[in-house]
Each structure stands twice: as C-alpha cells, then as structure tokens.
Amino acid sequence: FYYNLVNNMKLFALFILCISVPSALAATGVDVSAYTSQDSFSCLNQNGYIFGIVRGYCSYGGVDPNVVSNIQNSINGGMQNTDVYLFPCYPCGDPAGQADDLVNAISGQGYGMVWMDIEVYAWDSDIGNNQNFILTMANELTNQGQSVGIYSSYYNWQSIVGLGWTGVSQYPLWYAHYDDWMSFDDFTPFGGWNTPAIKQYNGDVSFCGAGIDQDYYP
C-alpha cells in the first residue's frame, strides 16, 4: 500500500509540475501610450508584470515627447524588458524619415525592439500603397540596426494591406484580441504568420496609477 501510495504521489506531483510549468514560464507585460511614472512601473512589476512596451511615435506624425522618460521609468521600475512602438502617420508621408526620427530620439536608451503599430487609422484606400509604406518603414528600421516587430490584428491587417500580404512576415507578430485570456488558442493565421510572439489580451485598464493594455508572452 505504501509503495503504491508513494508512486501515486510521485505521479500526481509530476502531473502538477507539468501543468504548472507553462504558466510559470509565461510572462505578462503592459503597453502604455501616456507618461507613466517609475513608481507605476515599479508597482506593476511588483504585481507580476515583467515587460513594458512604450509608445515612441504618435499617429499625428511626431516622436512621443514622453518616450525617453517612459523607457527609463520602465527600466528603473524593474521591468526585465522594455520595447518601443511606432504608430505610423501615413498622411505625413516619408516612412523612412519617421523611422529615423524615432531611432534618433531613443538612441542609447537601453530599449529592446521597435514594434510597428499597424491598425486602422488614416491609411490609403489603395492597399498597395499601404504595403509599400509599411515595407519602406520596416526596411529603414532594419537598416538602422533595430530589432523590428509588427503589431496588428486579423481585421486591421485585412483592411489595411489584405490578409494575403506577407511582406513583413519575417518579423515577430504582436497581435491584439481582447478576450481577457492569456493564450494563443484564439489566434487565426494572417499575413504569413502562423505563430505570434505576443498577445495584447486586454485594453484600457487602470492599475497602479497608470493606463495600461495587458500583454502575454508564453
């Protein structure tokens, strides 16, 4: 009886380990589009969020005035990784120049990746023009030595460039689906991506004195 009990306990412990390891290895993070203090990032970190993604370029066509402060506040607040996102301004033109402006503004700040935020906002009605704009910007960021990623969703991608366009699928995908669920089980392939890197699973949350979106990285 004791032998069987011990073995059953071992098997149960192994089962618990197997089902708990994935969740233990998963990481949660936040992205922010407004000034966020070091104290807020520290509070977020103490509550289990370990990476931050801060806005670096605004849709009106200019570098976010808070980007350097937010990068440093995220780092000094304890975030293990801090990335930046670029919200392009299509009507402003010059996608390479927009990329250069951001890179010059944040040079030497200790950030990781630059994510291009591709969502519905003042894009051209011709998806070919949108494709060329995005590709030019991504190429310029790469030429500038940046680690590039793409933020979008199935329906945004469909509207802006078409689901079948795979021109930037070599970059990691951060996708949005607000189902409040830390899982990729909901993901539908698009744009050449079969597996995403990050999921934005909840938006417009107020926590630790900050306005955040919540993100999941397995």
Side-chain angles (χ1 to χ4, degrees), residues 33 35 46 57 63 106 125 154 162 167 175 180 203:
S33 59
Y35 175 78
Q46 291 167 11
Y57 197 90
V63 174
I106 60 178
S125 59
Y154 183 96
Y175 78 107
D180 199 21

Side-chain angles (χ1 to χ4, degrees), residues 24 45 67-68 86 97 119 136 161 176 186 210:
N45 182 247
V67 61
V68 172
L86 187 167
E119 58 183 287
T136 299
V161 295
D186 61 300

